[in-house]
Amino acid sequence: MTAPHIMKPVIKPAASVVFLLLILLHLARAGGPKYVAGVSYFNQGTAGTPLTWAQGAVNYYTDQGNLSTTVSGPQGDALVADAFSQWTSIPNVAVVATHAGQLAEDVNGTNVFRNSDGSITMPADIMPTAVATPVGIVYDADGTVTNALLGQGAGDSSQCFDNAVFGGPDNFGVAAHLLHALVVINGNCVAQLPNPDVEYRLVRVLGRVLGMGWSQMNLNVQTRIPPPTADDYAGFSIMHATDLPSCVPISSCYSNGGHVNPYQPKVDDEAALGRLYPGTGFAAGTARIRGRVYFANAGGEPGQAMQGVNVVARWIDPETNQPSGTYAAASVSGFLFAGNVGTTVTGFNDSSGQPFNRWGSGDQKLEGFFDLAGLQIPNGGSSGQFQLIAEKLDPLWSNTVGPYQPWQVVPSGSLTPIIVSVTLGGDTQQDIVMQASASQKPDWFGPTNYQTPAPLAVSGDWAAALGPYGSLDYFWFTGQLNRTVSVLVSALDDFGVPTESKAQPVIGMWELSDPGTFPAPANTPSAFNSAIFGTTLLNAQLLKTTSFRVGIADIRGDGRPDYRYHARVLYGDHINPPRASAAGGTPVAIQGLGFEANTGVSSGASNARSLTVSVGQMLVSMPPKADGLHDVTLIDPPTAATSVMSSVVIYGAGSNDVLRLITGANPPTPVGGQAPNPVRVQVLAPDGVTPVTGASVFLSATPPISFSACAGANSCTVFSDQSGQVSTLISALSAGASKIMVQLAPASYPTPQQVQTTLVGIESALDLALVPQNTWAVQGATLNVALTTRVLSNGSPLRGRIVNFSLYRGSGTLNPASATTDNLGYASTTLQLSSFAAEVDGSACVGSNNNPCQNFHLLPVASSALRLQAIAGDLQVVTVGQAFQAMVVRVIDTSVPPNPVQGASVFFQTLIGRASGGALIVSGGDTKFTRDEMPVILGSTQAFMTSDVNGLVNMEPSTDGIQGALAILGMATAGGSNQEFALQSLWPVTE
């Protein structure tokens, strides 16, 4: 299999701060602490511990330079101190921020700059390793530092909404402590102080520096649904995830007309910081509600724990009995649990090479856990009631909140608000069971793992769910070299509708013998990479014939009952027969997986016509195509999924096929006259025995002659019949020898197979041509043989000449015995034979002098020596309303090469029936589409037909007036030789 190559970024040490700042913003935990220690990197026993500053001590160092061109450094220090105080002044929170001094330099564009190779040079005391200056505060007076770190133009004053203040932690200790952070304030955004918008952004960044994550509280302040009240503004968390770009100044959105300070932490923020840095009075001075959110099992009891639910507790005002918007806090379920541990499909490391499981605990007791410690009871109360609700995290406003960020998962089921009574210092356990949520059900294929995948369904189409936690589904199938396969997986919601808010499916493929290569050699590095909503698509190329494993996983390594999916594999394995006529129309069966009524089939730019589709098989009529080896492509129109079978079908002549001259020798022939013997060639497969149907055969001659197969033209391309033969009568157009060239598919092969023969043209004042000169007829037959002459003079026809016909051996009647040539020089007679038993010989002569003359011969063939040869139409599949083509056979004898036999009686008998459910029942030769018997016989026909001078019999199939989808199975018999034929009409394929 071929697989996509994912290039890992190379970061030079000097640029690591930018690298860390950017990727950690993506990897940060939220809906509680920003970072939670995982099972790797950090010390054993620390997994599930939020990262904080040791002992709550934060020492920060400020830039020696000015904050901006108009604001001094000391003024900047006062701004930073005030911003820190918004957090450190919260009651019962044990965190202290100390201005421990200044950095060793004025940090500016002269010492922070991007190098030509993309790396960044910066002072040592603001590097992630500078733990002696744990928090560096950079005053980027002119925006050049911002440009260097975030890209040219990022430091412009027009970018202040996003880049006025940025930064965060960039180094972590193995004991689950923050070791260093960097904060940059863009001076181009600070013309003067106070500046509420800059301080608002600085307070938010410092919250992140302290280890806080984003939260979702009173989202209606941003969405305006429902319209926010004063209570809502007062409780709107400063640590919300996203700001609307139109919020300039920020007070226009969040201050409620100046009544609320946007950069002052609210109750939700105070509770979140208190949980990180609980002071001595934190537990006693607040209340706590904690528990787990669960799916409901089939009996309505707790099932698997559910991550990613925003659990909100609101104090109920006893005077109004309404939940408060101000005294409220939120916690996202599973905030301590691993939200992304990677998978065998996409690997277990991020783009920096670090393991995903370094963040979040793997203890499933923490899956779905929420913690609402720090609940405040207002008005000096010691007890109260809180309303507990469960809500989804908004994918637009809160996409970076919680363990699932940035791919939020819509909770399954719903919760009727719960009223919980609490007291100061109390610790209340309250679990939440989401009613009417998805429940885990056994999949049809049973449990799987990497070592024991389930067989892939022949239909290539199935539905299942990725659950419980950590579950992947594995399947196997056998594939062939030089094939491609498409695997599609659509995520489904609780109602079976495609979604991008549940599982994030990714797909991988391995050889079945692979002991475990992670990530998979072929994989989708992300979910939903197709143009179809909610669908992930893997296209893989198979580089050997073997068995393959398909793995389906949630990209996070997650698993839960509502991670439902619909999967489909589109794969074409082989074609039967593997050859098709270059003229088109050959019915072929394609075997594979995942075929549907709308599955398209093409070869190059030409589309095949679908005849019928069943589980694992399609029957199509192949389009015309140039001779040679070609690909066949299957396509699913709605999804553009494809499966390419490379070099799977030979159209017409193959590169190693054989062209054999059967007959071609002729006596000298008058110019303008037809030679007595046809030129007949046969195309055979490389085994030298199997005839090739539909090969392109090019006829030409130098000097030119006339070919009957070319409608009298001097060159053309014709297709071999089912016996592999091409036969043509020839006529001389000039005196002398003409070299006749027969080539096999010269348009496809630069050095084609070819055979040659010669026709010698003669001319004189009086010439006679006669056809046929040799006729083979069945012994005992009564028949008429037409004899045609042409009288010529130097190649020109002579009119009004008498031609005399006579027999000199055997018996028969010539009628007429003499005939006069017409304007084209032709004169004809009929030899009437009755109970033809022995050879009959005769002659045709011109004029009273009986000169010149030509002889003719009638040769008997015993009935026991008759053989039938299929020429066309013995295997046909059409759609209802389309006529069957004639069934054509040739009667020949046992001579080598065989001769066509005239006058043979061929008996055709057919059964007309209808297959149950329109099932495909035809088979012919080496092509067997099915072995089912025809269950319903509707009619039958019988007919005798007689072969012509070329030994041919054309039988027009009859349905005997029966309508609809039918099958005609029959046999042609001559002498002791039989030829089976099978024809079927099918209802058109509808999508």
Side-chain angles (χ1 to χ4, degrees), residues 608-621:
R609 182 166 55 89
S610 182
L611 297 172
T612 186
V613 180
S614 60
V615 174
Q617 177 174 277
M618 293 184 67
L619 184 68
V620 300
S621 177

Side-chain angles (χ1 to χ4, degrees), residues 293-522:
V293 180
Y294 291 96
F295 287 88
N297 63 21
E301 300 299 319
Q304 181 180 338
M306 186 185 301
Q307 290 192 78
V309 180
N310 198 45
V311 182
V312 181
R314 299 182 184 276
W315 173 68
I316 296 179
D317 188 335
E319 295 184 2
T320 64
N321 205 34
Q322 294 298 311
S324 171
T326 302
Y327 294 96
S331 175
V332 178
S333 63
F335 70 97
L336 297 177
F337 193 62
N340 183 1
V341 295
T343 73
T344 58
V345 170
T346 53
F348 299 100
N349 297 331
D350 63 19
S351 59
S352 68
Q354 297 296 317
F356 288 115
N357 67 2
R358 71 190 189 279
W359 303 113
S361 172
D363 183 357
Q364 287 191 256
K365 294 179 181 179
L366 296 176
E367 184 184 17
F369 174 74
F370 65 91
D371 190 351
L372 289 166
L375 298 175
Q376 299 180 25
I377 302 175
N379 306 321
S382 61
S383 65
Q385 290 186 317
F386 279 78
Q387 180 199 66
L388 208 61
I389 65 169
E391 65 181 16
K392 74 173 185 178
L393 289 168
D394 190 279
L396 176 64
W397 296 99
S398 303
N399 72 308
T400 54
V401 177
Y404 283 141
Q405 60 90 18
W407 306 299
Q408 297 298 355
V409 178
V410 174
S412 180
S414 61
L415 174 70
T416 301
I418 299 173
I419 305 301
V420 181
S421 297
V422 301
T423 59
L424 289 182
D427 185 350
T428 303
Q429 172 82 24
Q430 178 62 61
D431 291 336
I432 295 173
V433 179
M434 302 293 284
Q435 297 304 311
S437 59
S439 59
Q440 195 70 51
K441 298 177 182 178
D443 291 319
W444 61 269
F445 46 82
T448 69
N449 57 41
Y450 187 85
Q451 288 75 27
T452 57
L456 198 64
V458 175
S459 66
D461 191 291
W462 73 97
L466 293 169
Y469 179 79
S471 294
L472 286 81
D473 288 344
Y474 294 100
F475 307 89
W476 72 271
F477 73 100
T478 299
Q480 292 202 55
L481 171 70
N482 294 329
R483 305 288 189 268
T484 69
V485 58
S486 285
V487 185
L488 301 99
V489 178
S490 297
L492 305 177
D493 65 14
D494 290 1
F495 306 99
V497 177
T499 181
E500 294 186 356
S501 300
K502 291 287 188 179
Q504 297 273 322
V506 288
I507 310 163
M509 278 189 67
W510 303 258
E511 292 182 19
L512 192 60
S513 60
D514 190 324
T517 301
F518 312 128

Side-chain angles (χ1 to χ4, degrees), residues 624-665:
K625 196 77 179 171
D627 298 75
L629 192 60
H630 291 277
D631 301 344
V632 172
T633 299
L634 308 177
I635 185 167
D636 180 60
T639 63
T642 60
S643 175
V644 179
M645 296 180 284
S646 299
S647 304
V648 73
V649 61
I650 298 175
Y651 273 90
S655 59
N656 295 316
D657 287 348
V658 177
L659 181 65
R660 183 165 64 94
L661 180 65
I662 298 175
T663 61

Side-chain angles (χ1 to χ4, degrees), residues 253-273:
C253 288
Y254 306 144
S255 72
N256 191 24
H259 293 89
V260 176
N261 181 352
Y263 61 78
Q264 181 180 4
K266 310 306 187 293
V267 171
D268 180 51
D269 304 308
E270 294 173 355
L273 188 64

Side-chain angles (χ1 to χ4, degrees), residues 741-764:
M741 182 77 70
V742 183
Q743 295 178 306
L744 184 59
S748 297
Y749 302 109
T751 55
Q753 290 270 326
Q754 60 185 33
V755 293
Q756 298 179 13
T757 187
T758 301
L759 177 65
V760 176
I762 58 174
E763 57 183 9
S764 66

